[in-house]
């Protein structure tokens, strides 16, 4: 069965510091992997996605993520965090076979000025 | 181009009442989804549909029913609402990968 684990519920970083949000998935085949961001009271916005090919994917707002099949991970990174990045981040997994998209429990990011 | 529209945006129910949430998309997407979002639980898939006339159970289907009679609409029904169904409900659609979300429905069951 598909599952997604985001082990960090809350993360606090200082503005300008680097960021890494962890995501581990369980899926039998090669998954589609996504990172979404949700600002308070808002809907979800897609940051980036991985389907196949280059395992390092670039997204919007300066985010990137790396697919590591051997570790079943798809961690999100940003070299320098801005105060406007404070939000909740969700990792999601799906497939072209089932079109069933499952989300992790989210990581809430706080940015200190 | 409205995208994904959810109706209503807010609703308060009493335990045992029934209601239907409507999701409409104007992008001709094949796939549609209903999620619920609860603090600390992320988004959990309730039901989804891979095409007109089809529905499938997600992670937390109990207490909900759905219908996809028209390609552009995906209805979520609560036959007998319970306080445990207090949540924010999101509808989403996709042509195959990126999900497009509605703005959510905040439902309170007293």
């Amino acid at each position: 069965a598909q599952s997604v684990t985001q082990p960090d519920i809350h993360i606090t970083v200082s503005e300008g510091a680097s960021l890494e949000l962890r995501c581990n998935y369980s899926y039998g085949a090669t998954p589609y992997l996504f990172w979404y961001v949700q600002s308070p009271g808002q809907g979800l916005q897609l940051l980036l996605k991985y389907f196949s090919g280059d395992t390092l994917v670039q997204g919007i707002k300066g985010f990137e993520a790396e697919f590591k099949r051997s570790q079943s991970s798809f961690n999100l990174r940003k070299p320098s965090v801005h105060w406007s990045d404070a939000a909740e981040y969700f990792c999601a997994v799906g497939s072209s076979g089932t079109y069933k998209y499952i989300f992790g429990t989210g990581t809430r990011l706080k940015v200190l000025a | 181009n409205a995208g994904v529209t959810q109706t209503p945006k807010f609703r308060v129910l009493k335990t045992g009442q029934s209601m239907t949430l409507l999701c409409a998309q104007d992008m001709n997407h094949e796939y549609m989804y209903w999620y619920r979002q609860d603090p600390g639980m992320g988004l959990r898939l309730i039901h989804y549909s891979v095409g007109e006339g089809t529905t499938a159970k997600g992670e937390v289907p109990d207490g909900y029913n759905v219908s996809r009679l028209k390609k552009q609409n995906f209805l979520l029904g609560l036959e007998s609402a319970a306080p445990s169904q207090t949540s924010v409900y999101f509808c989403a659609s996709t042509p195959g990968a990126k999900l497009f979300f509605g703005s959510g429905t905040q439902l309170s069951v007293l």
Side-chain angles (χ1 to χ4, degrees), chain A residues 5 40 42 49-50 61 70 90 98 104:
Chain A
T5 301
Q42 302 297 312
K49 60 184 184 292
Y50 171 80
K61 304 185 178 187
S70 62
F90 294 95
T98 65

Side-chain angles (χ1 to χ4, degrees), chain A residues 67-113:
Chain A
F67 171 59
K68 293 185 177 180
R69 184 189 301 276
S70 62
Q71 298 177 19
S72 297
S73 69
F74 189 57
N75 294 349
L76 181 71
R77 300 193 293 250
K78 187 170 185 178
S80 178
V81 170
H82 188 263
W83 64 266
S84 61
D85 293 325
E88 191 158 21
Y89 292 79
F90 294 95
C91 182
V93 64
S95 80
S96 62
T98 65
Y99 295 100
K100 182 179 179 181
Y101 295 95
I102 301 298
F103 283 74
T105 52
T107 297
R108 186 170 296 276
L109 175 65
K110 182 177 179 180
V111 181
L112 301 177

Side-chain angles (χ1 to χ4, degrees), chain A residues 36 38 46 51 90 99 101, chain B residues 31 33 35 37 96-99:
Chain A
Y36 287 84
Q38 184 181 36
L46 179 67
F51 294 158
F90 294 95
Y99 295 100
Y101 295 95
Chain B
Y31 312 101
Y33 307 80
Y35 292 90
Q37 184 175 24
K98 174 185 174 181
L99 290 170

Side-chain angles (χ1 to χ4, degrees), chain B:
Chain B
N1 189 341
V4 179
T5 303
Q6 292 183 230
T7 310
K9 297 192 184 305
F10 301 94
R11 186 70 186 267
V12 178
L13 290 178
K14 294 181 179 179
T15 298
Q17 286 185 319
S18 63
M19 76 161 296
T20 301
L21 306 183
L22 171 62
C23 177
Q25 53 97 1
D26 60 2
M27 297 172 283
N28 201 35
H29 288 170
E30 202 68 37
Y31 312 101
M32 296 187 74
Y33 307 80
W34 276 108
Y35 292 90
R36 60 177 289 174
Q37 184 175 24
D38 304 288
M41 307 289 283
L43 280 83
R44 292 181 291 170
L45 181 62
I46 305 171
H47 287 280
Y48 64 109
S49 169
V50 298
E52 180 178 318
T54 74
T55 63
K57 293 181 180 180
E59 302 171 279
V60 288
D62 293 343
Y64 305 95
N65 56 76
V66 288
S67 65
R68 183 107 181 264
L69 298 179
K70 294 183 178 181
K71 187 176 184 179
Q72 63 267 34
N73 296 336
F74 194 30
L75 280 64
L76 178 71
L78 286 72
E79 289 187 349
S80 179
S84 61
Q85 295 177 303
T86 293
S87 186
V88 179
Y89 292 84
F90 285 99
C91 175
S93 70
T94 179
K98 174 185 174 181
L99 290 170
F100 294 78
F101 284 89
S103 58
T105 296
Q106 190 153 350
L107 175 66
S108 295
V109 182
L110 306 178

Side-chain angles (χ1 to χ4, degrees), chain A residues 3-97:
Chain A
S3 68
V4 179
T5 301
Q6 293 181 248
D8 304 305
I9 299 173
H10 298 278
I11 283 187
T12 300
V13 298
S14 297
E15 191 170 21
S18 64
L19 172 70
E20 182 169 26
L21 302 183
R22 295 183 291 166
C23 173
N24 292 96
Y25 68 90
S26 173
Y27 191 71
T30 299
Y32 290 171
L33 293 161
F34 308 82
W35 276 100
Y36 287 84
V37 61
Q38 184 181 36
S39 298
Q42 302 297 312
L44 283 86
Q45 181 182 21
L46 179 67
L47 285 176
L48 47 78
K49 60 184 184 292
Y50 171 80
F51 294 158
S52 64
D54 192 346
T55 56
L56 185 64
V57 294
Q58 303 296 322
I60 62 171
K61 304 185 178 187
F63 285 93
E64 67 177 26
E66 187 172 11
F67 171 59
K68 293 185 177 180
R69 184 189 301 276
S70 62
Q71 298 177 19
S72 297
S73 69
F74 189 57
N75 294 349
L76 181 71
R77 300 193 293 250
K78 187 170 185 178
S80 178
V81 170
H82 188 263
W83 64 266
S84 61
D85 293 325
E88 191 158 21
Y89 292 79
F90 294 95
C91 182
V93 64
S95 80
S96 62

